[in-house]
């Protein structure tokens, strides 16, 4: 066991790039779960009490801090959605946060925290923070104020740190909110609510309140860069396959005997899950990783399947062929709890491992072996994340994985894919909470993309929302109606959307733009009014998500007074609602909202903060009581709901390849044929991630940027040599849609014809500049970000 712990410690240090704090590299937290023998059924955790050793460790940490004049504030990091429990160390004399560490006493995270969390004190005190509301004083349309680049960064993502950027003046909150309110009400009166776009970024506790504002205001064009690109395809899959139960999003790693990590790299993107997977592997569970790149997680696998980028659906359907042909499916579950098995059987009949090899570039033997290992192991789970949302057939890729989970009987069993427990507080994730039905149907029908993308824009969507490429095109063309204004919360839209240049042109065309953010991002620089948002260290929150924990909700405690006049997004939304005449649908402030959410538990926010977390044990076999909320009451392998929306009821995958020569590219027919010509001969994805950044965030943090100073594109070592490219060279990635310039990172294990870029960078390094809108996934409108084609050139050779 000691040896296993040591291995894990080294692994954690490795994935955190050597930035692990004392709780990662020093004192070793207690093992997260008791080891279990294969096929045994351990008890779920029944308590939220930290173990005696964890309490001892916490006390020791607290006493050491005391001796240095520090007090410890237990809270949760929200630099990403994992919301790890951390300790903020605050100087008693000054009230200044001096460091953040993982909380060794946490029964949720056991001291795990990543580099972003450990570096979060700089998020708080970064000199680039916007401290007061700003108003543009140059005419709108004038070139935005220049923001000098950080010495460490080749982009313009760093702000100089001046208190007031040139071309702007500070105004009061009252003036800023009044101007936003009066402008938006005026547009609603003259052009209708559809003329105003309510846009947002990644969810961090305030998102659903913001959705509620958009709907209460009556604006059908509400949306985010990421929704059709991240999570929504998975959630639509859950809705149509399992009636809304989100089984595939949660794995019972503590009890599993086999894990397939499908297309993600939790070691870099979800360290808490990465640690749980490593614990399972150290306990003896088989680890199969499916990824075109030998990621940090793949490097630890028993089996790594290097699939052709974007061929995920084909690989999953190939697995299903093997499992059905070998009679390895769970006959009882299939007969009693699914519909459409015979249709599935004939759908995958031709997908032998040999044909699947042609489609996926994974050898037939490896396909057969992995499929049998997964189906024959009791029990096994599939861990999936954003990569399956970003294929050319996003919902269908997700569906193929859900079908794999279901037919192998790995649903709602110990060690399989399971549901999070109910902790009792009210959820914000419902149509009722966001007032989705407030907008009359005839107005909803005017939502950009409504007819073509019903899975995103209609009732099946977690937040019925606009299709963003359609929305930006409408802004540009004024067809079928003008969109004149936008309110953007927490989104660096000028960087984070694909087809960046078109989006930027559209943003410039808006008559009025208001942005709420922490920094003067490229998006904020285009605004008329900028509102300063607080960071997670300056606010409370109630966090309940499968991304955080299967059996805990965690409470975030404010650790610092606000920087300048920054405010919590929830407080800003509540105040805007009041000024818009919608106050009766909102709360006085964020504390009142959290009191409301917690009310069913009998706790106020203040009481919950003292308690720190809410716990409820996991339950298995939930469906046995009430079935699935699908039309058939069963798992719909063949989806009647998708069929009713004119979408494929079974995941189509690629067409059957011709006997000779290459298969047609998967599911894209003519368009893909054009992209796949000799000129653009490299397979290309934008799926790589850096542990130091979250989407477009964190690049102003000097500690994090010093670890990863440049935009990166991974290239095979041999391929790079043939193109005269050396490690670190600036290369141009070119597609028919555009180009971006990133620094080469050479990898021996990458397929010869594959390059993979890291997204999130501003300026020339923004890979979204190379992604166009030639095709969208059926029903939901995802812009494919995997399985693309490109060519690369060293910058000195590039035109
Ligand atoms: S994984 Fe996310 S929540 Fe956890 S420490 Fe890192 S950034 Fe913070």
């Amino acid at each position: 066991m000691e040896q296993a712990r040591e291995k894990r410690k080294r692994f954690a240090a490795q994935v955190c790039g050597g930035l692990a704090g004392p709780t990662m590299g020093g004192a070793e937290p207690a093992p997260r779960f008791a080891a279990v023998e294969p096929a045994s059924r351990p008890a779920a955790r029944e308590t939220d009490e930290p173990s005696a050793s964890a309490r001892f460790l916490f006390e020791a940490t607290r006493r050491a801090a005391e001796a240095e004049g520090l007090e410890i504030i237990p809270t949760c990091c929200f630099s990403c959605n994992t919301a790890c429990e951390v300790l903020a160390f605050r100087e008693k004399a000054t009230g200044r946060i001096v460091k953040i560490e993982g909380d060794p006493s946490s029964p949720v995270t056991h001291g795990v925290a990543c580099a972003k969390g450990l570096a979060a004190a700089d998020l708080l005190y970064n000199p680039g923070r916007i401290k007061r509301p700003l108003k543009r004083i140059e005419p709108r349309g004038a070139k935005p104020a220049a923001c000098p680049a950080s010495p460490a960064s080749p982009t313009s993502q760093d702000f100089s740190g001046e208190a007031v950027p040139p071309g702007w003046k500070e105004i009061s909150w009252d003036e800023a909110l009044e101007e936003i309110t009066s402008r938006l009400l005026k547009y609603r009166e003259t052009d209708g609510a559809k003329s105003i776009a309510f846009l947002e970024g990644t969810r961090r506790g305030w998102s659903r309140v913001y959705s509620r504002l958009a709907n209460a205001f009556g604006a059908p064009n509400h949306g985010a860069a990421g929704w059709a690109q991240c999570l929504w395809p998975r959630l639509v899959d859950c809705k149509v396959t399992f009636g809304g139960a989100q089984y595939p999003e949660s794995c019972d790693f503590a009890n599993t005997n086999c894990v397939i990590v499908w297309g993600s790299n939790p070691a870099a993107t979800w360290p808490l899950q990465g640690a749980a997977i490593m614990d399972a592997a150290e306990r003896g569970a088989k680890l199969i990783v499916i990824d075109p790149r030998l990621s940090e997680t793949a490097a630890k696998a028993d089996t790594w399947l290097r699939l052709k980028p974007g061929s995920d659906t084909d690989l999953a359907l190939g697995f299903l062929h093997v499992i059905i042909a070998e009679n390895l499916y769970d006959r009882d579950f299939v007969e009693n709890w699914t519909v459409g098995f015979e249709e599935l059987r004939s759908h995958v009949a031709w997908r032998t491992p040999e044909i699947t090899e042609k489609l996926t570039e994974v050898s037939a033997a490896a396909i057969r072996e992995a499929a049998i290992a997964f189906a024959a192991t009791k029990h096994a789970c599939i861990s999936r994340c954003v990569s399956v949302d970003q294929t050319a057939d996003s919902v269908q890729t997700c569906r193929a994985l859900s079908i794999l989970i279901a037919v192998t009987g790995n649903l709602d069993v110990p060690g399989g894919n399971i549901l999070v427990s109910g902790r009792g507080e009210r959820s914000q994730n419902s149509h009722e909470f966001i007032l989705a039905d407030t907008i009359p149907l005839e107005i909803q029908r005017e939502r950009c993309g409504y007819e073509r993308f019903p899975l995103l824009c209609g009732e099946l969507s977690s937040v019925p929302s606009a299709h963003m490429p359609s929305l930006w095109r409408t802004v540009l063309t004024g067809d079928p109606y003008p969109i004149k204004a936008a309110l953007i919360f927490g989104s660096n839209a000028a960087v984070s959307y694909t087809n960046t240049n078109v989006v930027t042109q559209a943003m410039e065309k808006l008559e009025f733009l208001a942005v709420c953010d922490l920094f003067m991002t490229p998006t904020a620089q285009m605004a008329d009014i900028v509102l300063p948002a607080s960071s997670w260290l300056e606010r409370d929150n109630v966090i309940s998500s499968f991304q955080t924990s299967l059996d805990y909700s965690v409470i975030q405690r404010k650790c610092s007074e606000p920087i300048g006049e920054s405010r919590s997004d929830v407080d800003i939304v509540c105040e805007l609602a009041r000024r818009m005449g919608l106050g009766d649908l909102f709360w006085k402030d964020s504390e009142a909202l959290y009191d409301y959410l917690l009310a069913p538990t009998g706790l106020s926010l203040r009481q919950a903060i003292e308690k720190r977390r809410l716990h409820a044990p996991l339950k298995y076999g939930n469906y046995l009581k009430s079935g699935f909320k699908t039309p058939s009451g069963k798992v719909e392998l063949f989806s009647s709901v998708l069929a009713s929306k004119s979408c494929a009821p079974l995941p189509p995958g690629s067409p059957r390849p011709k006997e000779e020569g290459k298969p047609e590219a998967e599911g894209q027919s003519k368009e893909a044929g054009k992209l796949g010509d000799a000129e653009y001969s490299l397979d290309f994805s934008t799926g790589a991630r850096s542990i130091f950044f979250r989407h477009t965030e964190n690049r102003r943090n000097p500690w994090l940027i010093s670890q990863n100073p440049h935009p990166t594109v991974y290239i095979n070592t041999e391929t790079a040599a043939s193109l005269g490219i050396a490690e670190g060279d600036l290369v141009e990635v070119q597609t028919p849609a555009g180009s971006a310039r990133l620094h080469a990172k050479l990898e021996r294990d990458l397929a010869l014809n594959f390059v993979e870029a890291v997204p999130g960078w501003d300026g020339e390094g923004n890979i979204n500049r190379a992604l166009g809108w030639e095709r969208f996934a059926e029903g939901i409108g995802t812009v494919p970000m995997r399985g693309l084609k490109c060519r690369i050139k060293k910058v000195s050779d590039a035109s």
Side-chain angles (χ1 to χ4, degrees), residues 177-199 208-223 433-440 443-444 446-447 482-489 512 514 572-586:
L177 294 174
E178 207 42 52
E179 173 140 7
I180 292 171
T181 305
S182 62
R183 295 289 295 263
L184 298 192
L185 289 175
K186 185 79 186 151
Y187 283 117
R188 186 172 70 173
E189 192 186 315
T190 55
D191 299 279
K194 65 190 176 193
S195 69
I196 304 156
F198 280 68
L199 309 181
R208 295 299 180 270
V209 187
Y210 186 69
S211 295
R212 188 178 171 105
L213 177 67
N215 288 328
F217 188 84
N221 286 318
H222 170 40
F433 182 86
I434 64 171
L435 306 175
D437 297 333
T438 307
I439 301 183
I443 304 290
Q444 288 187 42
E446 294 187 297
R447 180 173 289 145
I483 295 179
K484 295 184 172 176
L487 179 64
I488 301 183
F489 265 54
F512 179 72
I572 299 169
V573 168
C574 290
E575 178 60 19
L576 274 173
R578 192 186 65 75
R579 287 169 186 257
M580 289 170 175
L582 304 167
D584 55 335
L585 295 171
F586 283 78

Side-chain angles (χ1 to χ4, degrees), residues 518-660:
L518 280 81
F519 296 98
M520 205 64 186
T521 63
T523 307
Q525 289 170 39
M526 298 175 78
D528 299 285
I529 302 283
V530 180
L531 303 177
S534 57
S535 73
W536 59 264
L537 283 151
E538 297 151 83
R539 56 197 191 203
D540 303 316
N541 205 343
V542 177
I543 304 168
S544 182
S545 162
F546 71 85
Q547 291 156 308
T548 303
S549 170
L550 300 179
D551 49 355
Y552 286 95
S553 297
V554 292
I555 314 295
Q556 187 174 66
R557 183 199 288 249
K558 174 178 167 181
C559 302
S560 164
E561 288 308 311
I563 298 299
E565 294 179 14
S566 63
R567 290 187 187 176
S568 129
D569 301 75
V570 175
D571 287 339
I572 299 169
V573 168
C574 290
E575 178 60 19
L576 274 173
R578 192 186 65 75
R579 287 169 186 257
M580 289 170 175
L582 304 167
D584 55 335
L585 295 171
F586 283 78
W587 299 264
K588 180 167 70 67
D589 55 21
S590 50
E591 179 157 352
L593 167 67
Y594 299 132
D595 282 341
Y596 167 80
L597 295 177
L598 288 164
T601 70
L603 296 170
S604 67
L605 173 67
R606 293 294 132 212
Q607 290 166 326
I609 282 175
E610 292 309 315
K611 193 171 159 50
R612 290 201 66 190
R613 55 191 81 89
L614 311 174
H615 177 258
L618 296 174
K619 287 187 187 143
Y620 304 107
N622 296 277
Y623 65 87
L624 294 169
K625 278 193 203 136
S626 49
F628 298 88
K629 291 182 182 155
T630 55
S632 62
K634 297 185 176 183
V635 176
E636 297 217 343
L637 310 177
F638 182 98
S639 170
S640 60
V641 178
L642 286 182
S644 75
K645 299 289 180 188
S646 304
C647 296
L650 283 164
S654 300
R656 187 170 185 163
K658 294 176 185 143
E659 286 301 310
E660 294 296 325

